[in-house]
Amino acid sequence: MKKLYGTTVPIVTPFDEEGRVDVESLKKLTDHVIDNGLSCLYPCGTTGEMLLLSVEERKLVSETVVKQAAGRVPVFVHAGAMTLADTLELAKHAVEIGADGIGVVTPSYFKVSDDALVAYYTQIAKSVPEDFSVYLYAIPQNAVNDINVSVAEHVAAACPNVVGLKYSYPNMSLLQKFMLVRDETFSVLVGPDDLFHVVCAAGGDGTVSGNAQVIPEHYAALWAAIQSGDNVKARELQRKTNVLNNILCEKNNIAAYKVVLREEGVIQTAHLRAPMEEFTKEEEETLMKALREHHYREV
């Protein structure tokens, strides 16, 4: 079963002037990520505004990315939704279109018990083929529910195709405990990408970084340094990405990503799905000025 590694990119969902999914821009974005040396694609994640898309829109995004990637890099579709029925439908669809696996965020808004989480993930994992990879996904600051080590262990024991976890809260102690699940073969990726280098040094498999689609050359170079064991170079590159990421995430990171990608001709518009807030013209100019002052294209 395939696993995520290196820099996995939760790509944005481009929209056209009428607010529809912009398929041609999505194809260009897919090529942009792959051509710049990043490792894996993760459509319909948080950065893709997934909970603001319909099930049919999410299917369109997933189909487009899988087809455009054409096996050049692994594509894991994020299938987590507000209802279990929609999650199961999106998981089934990911299998049908030839995705390499899925990620599934915890249930959102309503607080549930650990037993309910185990049952939830077990049902989803067993709804897809035994050799189809599934990642747990926790982002407790957004979703309310969290995944602890006990939950991960119980799900991993019940479902061999649950191969790992994306954890999007900066807790290095907990991240290292997840790395011990299933005799240290459980794949762990970190959401806060300022921890990319240190998580890999501790035994993790990489990061899931929205920032990477905007500054891909930095993340490709950082992953190369990590793989080669050049910790001095990796530390230097990590610090540079941290500075740039702080600029990109100062107000609304998804809006910032779309502005830069539009300015560079990768996507056509910087529109977001309501009620998300777009940048004003002044905010766009401030963002681009700050990035240029920090030489964001120079590695």
Side-chain angles (χ1 to χ4, degrees):
M1 288 178 285
K2 291 187 178 179
K3 293 183 179 181
L4 298 171
Y5 64 94
T7 304
T8 294
V9 188
I11 54 175
V12 299
T13 301
F15 299 115
D16 64 19
E17 293 291 354
E18 284 71 47
R20 299 169 300 202
V21 173
D22 182 348
V23 170
E24 292 308 311
S25 288
L26 186 56
K27 292 177 182 178
K28 288 182 68 175
L29 177 58
T30 299
D31 288 339
H32 167 77
V33 169
I34 297 171
D35 293 345
N36 279 284
L38 302 180
S39 309
C40 310
L41 284 159
Y42 189 69
C44 295
T46 302
T47 308
E49 301 172 67
M50 79 289 195
L51 294 183
L52 300 177
L53 304 178
S54 69
V55 168
E56 291 309 311
E57 286 176 319
R58 291 178 66 168
K59 289 181 178 180
L60 174 60
V61 169
S62 302
E63 288 171 9
T64 301
V65 174
V66 169
K67 184 176 181 180
Q68 190 68 19
R72 290 177 289 168
V73 300
V75 178
F76 276 62
V77 172
H78 177 252
M82 285 301 295
T83 69
L84 175 59
D86 286 350
T87 300
L88 292 170
E89 182 176 347
L90 289 166
K92 178 183 177 183
H93 180 258
V95 175
E96 292 171 346
I97 64 174
D100 296 291
I102 57 172
V104 181
V105 75
T106 59
S108 301
Y109 190 81
F110 298 102
K111 184 68 176 174
V112 299
S113 68
D114 287 353
D115 287 344
L117 281 175
V118 171
Y120 178 77
Y121 280 115
T122 299
Q123 183 172 352
I124 295 164
K126 290 185 179 298
S127 76
V128 296
E130 293 180 354
D131 60 350
F132 190 73
S133 300
V134 177
Y135 271 78
L136 312 180
Y137 171 22
I139 182 167
Q141 64 271 36
N142 285 20
V144 177
N145 292 295
D146 199 0
I147 294 173
N148 58 38
V149 174
S150 177
V151 168
E153 288 176 337
H154 278 85
V155 176
C159 309
N161 61 330
V162 174
V163 296
L165 171 140
K166 175 202 172 186
Y167 198 73
S168 289
Y169 192 80
N171 185 332
M172 273 300 299
S173 177
L174 182 56
L175 283 159
Q176 291 180 84
K177 290 175 182 177
F178 284 129
M179 294 174 198
L180 302 178
V181 172
R182 197 185 278 139
D183 298 325
E184 302 184 37
T185 63
F186 200 62
S187 173
V188 176
L189 291 95
V190 63
D193 43 12
D194 55 348
L195 297 178
F196 186 10
H197 178 210
V198 295
V199 162
C200 289
D205 292 308
T207 187
V208 181
S209 170
N211 295 297
Q213 65 200 302
V214 178
I215 49 172
E217 54 274 269
H218 295 272
Y219 280 84
L222 176 50
W223 178 235
I226 290 169
Q227 286 184 299
S228 69
D230 189 344
N231 286 315
V232 173
K233 184 65 173 177
R235 185 166 59 245
E236 172 190 324
L237 289 164
Q238 180 73 78
R239 289 173 177 171
K240 178 66 179 291
T241 64
N242 291 351
V243 170
L244 296 172
N245 292 347
N246 287 339
I247 295 169
L248 289 166
C249 299
E250 184 175 357
K251 182 185 177 183
N252 179 337
N253 62 318
I254 301 173
Y257 302 157
K258 289 192 173 184
V259 168
V260 180
L261 291 168
R262 184 204 62 202
E263 289 298 296
E264 297 192 342
V266 179
I267 64 177
Q268 291 299 309
T269 80
H271 293 322
L272 301 174
R273 181 60 58 84
M276 296 278 282
E277 294 180 276
E278 297 176 8
F279 276 15
T280 64
K281 187 65 177 176
E282 182 180 356
E283 287 169 337
E284 289 183 2
E285 291 171 353
T286 298
L287 169 67
M288 296 307 302
K289 182 174 183 289
L291 289 172
R292 292 181 182 119
E293 286 176 348
H294 284 82
H295 308 288
Y296 78 107
R297 280 287 164 256
E298 298 177 14
V299 179

